[in-house]
Amino acid sequence: MKTKLTFFDIDETVFHTFAKINVLKDGKLIKKLNNQEFNTYKLKDDESFDFTEFRDSKVFYDTSKPINNIIKLVKKYIKNDERVIFLTAREDFKDKQLFLETFRKYGINIDHPNVYVERSGNLKHIPNVSDRKKEIVKKYLSEKYSVVKMYDDDRKNLETFKNFLLELNYNVDAIQVIGNGRMKKI
């Protein structure tokens, strides 16, 4: 049995990020949302999201700021050969290598064999982020882990994760990252 599997959200969990999600109505820009606003925004009739900035690797590389105490945790887990999955609501980036270079820039061994990035935004057939993330978590449960953790800034994602894993009798920790990296177990 492997020991620990840890999922880390990226935006506002590992890095403060500044890409905006555009809200379009009839094809015209009506509003720009940050990550936190997007988590709770409900589309109105004839509105849609445009994630162009969220797929832009250069915006991610140039503007992301590390949340230092979370970066230290990530490095510790990787150093201990634990399984680390970065589980983001984003889709594929335009330039995968530049995106990964952001992690390297802050000393995260993104190339370690136990580390992977999952982009739940690619699962467009699933309507909401928490269910998309749950679907990805499922695929990692083929191997039994003694502890499964998730760090995320969105409480709904954490609640979905925790409830799902408790039903499967996993030892689970769901940790909300608040503000400048303060953590709150839920």
Side-chain angles (χ1 to χ4, degrees):
M1 177 190 317
K2 296 201 178 215
T3 52
K4 296 178 183 174
L5 169 63
T6 305
F7 295 92
F8 285 95
D9 177 48
I10 296 174
D11 295 286
E12 302 310 313
T13 301
V14 176
F15 297 106
H16 290 297
T17 58
F18 300 95
K20 302 284 187 193
I21 300 103
N22 296 324
V23 179
L24 306 176
K25 182 168 182 154
D26 300 322
K28 293 187 175 137
L29 177 66
I30 60 167
K31 188 175 205 153
K32 287 183 167 274
L33 305 174
N34 65 30
N35 179 62
Q36 302 280 317
E37 293 165 330
F38 171 72
N39 286 340
T40 58
Y41 190 84
K42 303 282 187 239
L43 286 173
K44 297 171 185 67
D45 290 342
D46 299 323
E47 288 184 352
S48 62
F49 291 125
D50 170 26
F51 296 96
T52 301
E53 281 188 39
F54 259 67
R55 288 191 300 273
D56 191 326
S57 308
K58 184 161 176 35
V59 169
F60 184 76
Y61 181 84
D62 289 345
T63 65
S64 294
K65 303 291 181 223
I67 300 175
N68 291 321
N69 59 329
I70 303 299
I71 297 278
K72 285 179 190 173
L73 267 178
V74 168
K75 289 177 181 179
K76 179 179 124 184
Y77 292 163
I78 294 170
K79 184 179 178 189
N80 291 339
D81 281 330
E82 297 176 22
R83 188 76 166 121
V84 172
I85 306 300
F86 292 100
L87 180 53
T88 180
R90 292 181 186 236
E91 300 173 35
D92 290 340
F93 280 82
K94 292 177 186 174
D95 182 341
K96 177 183 174 182
Q97 287 310 311
L98 185 57
F99 164 70
L100 296 175
E101 195 59 39
T102 309
F103 292 83
R104 294 179 191 114
K105 177 166 71 169
Y106 295 107
I108 296 172
N109 187 358
I110 196 74
D111 304 301
H112 191 284
N114 286 340
V115 178
Y116 193 73
V117 177
E118 290 281 1
R119 294 149 321 278
S120 70
N122 293 334
L123 302 177
K124 296 184 187 324
H125 64 284
I126 300 173
N128 67 55
V129 172
S130 60
D131 287 336
R132 289 175 182 181
K133 287 188 173 188
K134 175 181 160 184
E135 191 64 29
I136 289 172
V137 168
K138 280 183 195 178
K139 82 180 197 180
Y140 285 92
L141 300 180
S142 60
E143 294 184 47
K144 189 71 175 163
Y145 290 89
S146 60
V147 177
V148 182
K149 296 180 184 181
M150 178 182 270
Y151 292 82
D152 201 311
D153 64 310
D154 187 340
R155 188 174 180 94
K156 183 170 177 24
N157 292 340
L158 292 165
E159 288 170 350
T160 299
F161 168 82
K162 185 175 181 177
N163 292 335
F164 168 65
L165 287 172
L166 286 174
E167 287 174 13
L168 299 174
N169 296 315
Y170 273 89
N171 182 354
V172 59
D173 286 331
I175 301 103
Q176 186 173 17
V177 177
I178 306 164
N180 238 356
R182 290 179 296 121
M183 292 175 268
K184 177 181 170 185
K185 197 170 183 178
I186 64 165

